[in-house]
Each structure stands twice: as structure tokens, then as C-alpha cells.
Amino acid sequence: MNPFSYGTIVKSPYFYDRSPECQRIVSTLSGGNNLVLFAPRRFGKTSLVFRAIEELEKMDYICVYFDFMPVYSRESFIEAYSKAILAKQSNLQRAVKSMASLVKGIRPKIVFDQSGKPEFSIDFTDDLISEKTLEDIIDLPEKMASEKKQIIIIFDEFQEINKLNGENFEKLLRSKIQHQQYVTYMFLGSRTHLLNDMFNNKTRAFYNAAMLMQLSALPENETIEFLKNRFALSNITIDDSTAVFLIEQAGNIPYYIQLLAAEVWQYLVSTTKDLNTDIIAICAEGIVDLKSDYYFELYDRQSSYQKKLLKSLLICGENVFSAEYAKRFRLSATSTTQKALLVLVENGIVEKVEKMYFIGDPFFKRFLSRYA
Ligand SMILES: Nc1ncnc2c1ncn2[C@@H]1O[C@H](COP(=O)(O)OP(=O)(O)O)[C@@H](O)[C@H]1O
Ligand SMILES: [Mg+2]
């Protein structure tokens, strides 16, 4: 079995480090404070929060994890959110009953799937979802919690609430949760600029509603250790400088580190060669080849100015709005650059951490330096 994993959520032994961050999450939430965790995609937010959930559950908190990504309407939110809440109740029958009396406008019920397993489902009694139904759903955890049975709600990809008719929903959620006594919230998100605005902008509902925490890259020495140990399971040795090379090729992003390491492992098990930087480079090129159709299409979709910016970002991502930067890369007015960069960020191609802009996918970067 490949000793590396790069699906969505990774657990031990594929997960390493992050213990200070995990502790901070656990202590903040168990102290009753709301928390926002943000970092670009694939830095390991969801995996980390599942690690924290394990700890919190040991402390008897009920943790409800809810991902906003698949939500596309208020109905779909109500349906999926109530499912997530009820799934954590020990007595489903009783929970469905109390939900029926606590939430206006819906008829919760238990249906049986093909294998006879009970499942929760709801019908809406009216065509239009009323504000009241939404309010009741948001208050449901508080009604089901108690001093002894506190609930922690984790909203993943929280910036996606913008899809639910934006700020109205945000205001409603905020106004409800600030009165809840036994429920604490954690918000995760990848679109850092959207989340930042949501929690740091004085005019927004969630201004000051939670502590902010940013997730950075994994510490290099921990990653080196992890690579050594995982490769060692297949009797492959990797020295420090080769490990550092691998980390660099993967942009020091947890997901890409595991992806590249998995490819390298795959390559090596079928040969008897030693692991060196040439092999890592071959595997990195192999990943670009595999994805090149997608990368071509992605590149093609960008406006010519965006393409130009991508090329500049390959070389430098600092001070991108300065006059020197514009001169160096022959860019147009700052406002034009700002607009184009915003589109690239919105589309998830470019990430922004503090004032640095960078191409999120190190293999797309590699592709660009090959073709652009
Ligand atoms: N602490 C970690 N240790 C090892 N690998 C990790 C860790 N965190 C993330 N990863 C890698 O990154 C991938 C993406 O992690 P995920 O938690 O889904 O990130 P995010 O939620 O930030 O997009 C994981 O599948 C795994 O390969
Ligand atoms: Mg995630």
C-alpha cells in the first residue's frame, strides 16, 4: 500500500504534526469562544479539524461537522444541516419528534433505505421557505444542547454562505448564534479574502464574532521526518536535502507533498533505483503530463492580461501593485492588475497569503513555466 495519502481528510498515520494548532482549537472551543480558521485550499484545515473533533469528543462535546460546499439553496441547507445535527443525537426517534415541534414549516420523518436502515428525511410543508423555518433550524442545536451536553458546530467552507442570498443569511445566523449559550462555532474557509472580509470588516454581521486563526505550512523538519519514516516502511531512504527538494517541488503545500511523494513511491517500487532529486523531478513532470489537458484548458480560459499576470507571478508575487512591478512585467494601470488578480483569486488559481500572491497549484506553476 502506498504510504502516502492525498484524498480529503487524512488521519494518523498519514497525518502529522499540527499539535499546537490542534490544542489551540480545542482550548478555544472548549472555552466557549467561536473560532475562524483560514488557509488556502489543501493546507490541511479539514484534516486538522477532524483531529480536534476527536479530542473534543473525548471531552464529551457533541461535534457537528457541516460543509457548506455542496449547499446550493436554503432548502438544501435546511435538509443537510438538520441531518448533520440529528445524526449526532443518540435517540433518532426522539430527536425527530422534538425537531417536529421545534421547527416550523417542515415535517421530519424517518424512512428506511433498501437495507432497512433508518434514515432521516424532511418534507417542506410550504412552497416557500419562511424566515421562521430558517431561524428555528439555526436555533435547533441550542434547543437540543444543555449545560451538560454542549454542542460544537463546525462550518467548513463557510464563505459559501454567500450562495444563500448573501448578507441576509449572514445577519440572521449571526443574530441567532450570539444568543446561544450551549453552542460554540468554528468556521473554516479556503477563500481567505472572503472570510477575512466577513470577520474583519466593521460593516459585516460577523465582525468580531470569533477569534481568528491562520494555518500556515507544515514545519519543514516535521515534513522531513514524516517523509523519512513513510518511505522507510518500504526500505526507501531519503536524505534531508532530497526531502527538502521534494517539499519545494510541492510548493510546501501538504496536499501536494503527499501527492508527489505518492508518485515517487509508485515509481520506485517498480524499480530498484535509489531515491534522488532526478527521480523527484521526473515524477513532478509526470504529474504535469497527467494533468496537462486540464491545465491547457484552464490556461486557455484566462484573458490575455490574466495570462500575463500568471507569468509575472511565476517569477515574483510580492509588491504586485507597485510601480516597479508594473514596469518590470510591463503591466497596465494598477486598477487593471487589481481586477485581473481578483478574478484569478476568485477562481482559486491564485492564492493570497498576507500580501503575497502565488499560484496555488505547484504543478500548474510547473506547467506554466513549460508552456507560457
Ligand atoms: N497534518 C497533515 N499531515 C499530513 N498530510 C496532511 C496534513 N494536513 C493535510 N495533509 C494533506 O493535504 C491534503 C488536503 O488536506 P485537507 O484537510 O483536505 O485540506 P483543506 O481542508 O485545507 O483543503 C490531505 O489529503 C493530505 O494529503
Ligand atoms: Mg477542506
Side-chain angles (χ1 to χ4, degrees):
M1 254 244 302
N2 201 311
F4 300 101
S5 161
Y6 52 92
T8 45
I9 302 154
V10 283
K11 293 196 165 159
S12 172
Y14 301 104
F15 181 91
Y16 60 96
D17 193 64
R18 296 286 194 218
S19 23
E21 290 93 341
C22 183
Q23 285 217 304
R24 185 152 166 229
I25 294 171
V26 170
S27 63
T28 307
L29 295 174
S30 59
N33 292 303
N34 299 335
L35 180 65
V36 193
L37 175 71
F38 56 93
R41 287 185 303 165
R42 297 170 167 177
F43 266 54
K45 296 174 297 298
T46 307
S47 301
L48 171 60
V49 85
F50 270 85
R51 179 73 204 81
I53 288 174
E54 277 174 34
E55 295 302 314
L56 288 160
E57 285 182 339
K58 280 186 209 154
M59 298 161 75
D60 276 343
Y61 286 95
I62 297 173
C63 298
V64 177
Y65 170 83
F66 183 78
D67 185 2
F68 266 95
M69 206 46 126
V71 171
Y72 55 91
S73 64
R74 291 186 167 209
E75 270 110 323
S76 76
F77 168 72
I78 290 172
E79 216 159 356
Y81 190 45
S82 48
K83 247 184 202 163
I85 296 167
L86 288 208
K88 290 292 173 148
Q89 298 294 317
S90 46
N91 184 331
L92 185 61
Q93 208 99 33
R94 201 171 59 205
V96 165
K97 254 201 179 142
S98 60
M99 184 175 168
S101 65
L102 291 171
V103 185
K104 280 246 148 39
I106 61 165
R107 217 177 285 121
K109 57 182 185 188
I110 294 176
V111 291
F112 294 91
D113 72 4
Q114 283 171 340
S115 64
K117 218 176 87 210
E119 263 186 358
F120 163 75
S121 130
I122 54 176
D123 290 332
F124 291 94
T125 53
D126 307 314
D127 287 345
L128 273 180
I129 308 280
S130 73
E131 206 76 343
K132 181 80 176 93
T133 305
L134 207 51
E135 286 177 22
D136 289 348
I137 272 290
I138 294 167
D139 265 340
L140 187 63
E142 173 75 357
K143 300 262 166 65
M144 294 194 155
S146 64
E147 170 112 46
K148 282 212 190 90
K149 222 174 62 178
Q150 303 206 10
I151 297 184
I152 291 168
I153 306 265
I154 295 116
F155 284 140
D156 205 347
E157 300 298 354
F158 184 61
Q159 73 278 336
E160 302 299 308
I161 68 160
N162 285 342
K163 290 186 293 201
L164 300 179
N165 144 26
E167 304 211 3
N168 263 343
F169 187 81
E170 211 174 303
K171 280 196 188 113
L172 177 67
L173 189 61
R174 163 73 190 189
S175 69
K176 284 277 149 201
I177 72 177
Q178 66 184 349
H179 298 296
Q180 299 180 354
Q181 269 191 68
Y182 303 123
V183 189
T184 307
Y185 290 83
M186 173 152 185
F187 308 93
L188 310 183
S190 296
R191 313 283 294 278
T192 42
H193 69 294
L194 290 179
L195 269 190
N196 241 324
D197 190 56
M198 218 177 242
F199 288 90
N200 282 330
N201 181 337
K202 282 191 180 147
T203 65
R204 300 284 292 264
F206 274 91
Y207 174 66
N208 261 347
M211 299 202 179
L212 301 185
M213 178 172 168
Q214 195 166 347
L215 194 61
S216 29
L218 286 156
E220 190 173 86
N221 55 338
E222 300 277 352
T223 307
I224 295 173
E225 213 43 40
F226 174 75
L227 291 171
K228 283 189 169 169
N229 293 337
R230 301 304 290 167
F231 275 120
L233 293 173
S234 311
N235 294 320
I236 298 168
T237 34
I238 177 165
D239 60 38
D240 283 26
S241 62
T242 312
V244 169
F245 183 78
L246 189 151
I247 296 168
E248 278 166 10
Q249 301 307 300
N252 198 13
I253 297 169
Y255 172 90
Y256 295 103
I257 292 172
Q258 296 235 35
L259 168 66
L260 183 52
E263 284 296 314
V264 170
W265 181 86
Q266 194 64 49
Y267 183 89
L268 283 175
V269 284
S270 51
T271 64
T272 49
K273 288 182 195 147
D274 285 334
L275 173 43
N276 57 33
T277 51
D278 289 345
I279 289 179
I280 294 170
I282 291 171
C283 291
E285 288 299 312
I287 293 173
V288 177
D289 289 340
L290 272 178
K291 293 190 160 191
S292 62
D293 280 354
Y294 164 69
Y295 288 156
F296 263 122
E297 205 233 323
L298 186 65
Y299 185 64
D300 226 33
R301 253 189 279 141
Q302 310 308 314
S303 71
S304 51
Y305 197 71
Q306 281 157 225
K307 284 179 182 154
K308 196 169 179 178
L309 265 179
L310 285 173
K311 269 194 254 180
S312 327
L313 288 178
L314 273 183
I315 300 160
C316 174
E318 272 169 299
N319 299 322
V320 294
F321 302 122
S322 68
E324 297 88 84
Y325 195 91
K327 194 165 165 227
R328 178 171 172 200
F329 297 105
R330 301 162 157 273
L331 300 175
S332 312
T334 311
S335 60
T336 314
T337 304
Q338 268 165 342
K339 259 188 231 142
L341 213 44
L342 189 66
V343 177
L344 288 169
V345 171
E346 304 251 272
N347 293 340
I349 298 171
V350 169
E351 301 280 359
K352 183 183 171 206
V353 171
E354 266 132 42
K355 293 205 157 94
M356 261 285 281
Y357 287 86
F358 62 96
I359 295 161
D361 176 347
F363 297 102
F364 185 50
K365 209 171 147 181
R366 223 184 163 93
F367 168 89
L368 288 173
S369 37
R370 222 195 250 178
Y371 296 103

